[in-house]
Amino acid sequence: MPAKAIFCDFDGTITETEVFVALMRHFAPESAAAILPEIYARRLSLREGLPQILEGIPTRRWPEMEDFVRGTVLRPGLAALLDAARQAEVPFIVVTGGFTRMAEIVLAPYRSAIHAIHGLEVDLSGPTLRVFSPWQDAQELVAKRQVLDHYHPDTAVCIGDSITDLRVARDCPLVCARDRLAQYLKAEGRSFIPFETFDDVNTALAQQGWWQEQGHAQ
């Protein structure tokens, strides 16, 4: 059990843009246009909505989808944050509401510094995509709270930007939020640390004492 752990979203958090949303809008434009607003307005759960979009995409288009994410621009400061976490022996765990495979492709240059990547898996054996994850529950395909519980650190920070991060953010001891997630938390009167770059996160965690090395004095 780690004393501390960082749980970080991928789309719109590690990446500068919402890659998963762009992917859905590109490969399933009609269903994405109809369903995504319902998800954002919280009238439709992620568990109900995402399969309606993704499972209409022909399996033969998967290689195109992989190519779509290559060259994705990352939010500034990631390398420095990963280095600080490594030096402090704090595991950095990526938890994406999108495809694990896409995160693996984009984060390949940094993979050795990332403890694990958890997200949405895909079955390519049929004519259209079938999506699932080991972490799904009644509300979400990737229930990030389950991932947090799996590692059960003494304390944790969750970093995120949107609806897929809301449930875990409600239960995480420390939250760094931007964009939609910040709006949701503000509306609920919950405290969070705002950020735009990972340098902001790095500075905030340093101020919180997160970079004191675990198990031995600096």
Side-chain angles (χ1 to χ4, degrees), residues 4-6 81 84-85 90 92 156-159 174-176 193 198-212:
K4 300 173 183 174
I6 297 169
L81 178 62
V90 175
F92 189 98
V157 59
C158 297
I159 309 169
L174 185 64
V175 177
C176 295
I193 297 168
F198 284 115
D199 293 323
D200 300 332
V201 175
N202 204 340
T203 298
L205 293 183
Q207 291 170 348
Q208 297 272 341
W210 268 64
W211 302 145
Q212 295 173 10

Side-chain angles (χ1 to χ4, degrees), residues 35 45-56 129 131 141:
I35 293 165
S45 74
L46 289 157
R47 181 71 186 84
E48 295 168 309
L50 289 183
Q52 293 180 44
I53 301 172
L54 298 169
E55 295 189 349
L129 303 185
V131 293
L141 277 172

Side-chain angles (χ1 to χ4, degrees), residues 9-13 18 20-21 36 39-42 46 97 140 144 159-170 175-185 195:
D9 174 52
F10 176 68
D11 292 286
T13 300
E18 285 276 2
F20 186 48
V21 170
L36 285 174
I39 292 174
Y40 287 134
R42 295 154 71 181
L46 289 157
E140 295 177 294
K144 297 186 178 186
I159 309 169
D161 78 309
S162 196
I163 187 71
T164 64
D165 306 298
L166 179 56
R167 288 175 71 206
V168 71
R170 289 171 175 154
V175 177
C176 295
R178 60 176 301 280
D179 202 40
R180 289 180 189 273
L181 179 61
Q183 294 170 22
Y184 293 137
L185 294 175
F195 77 96

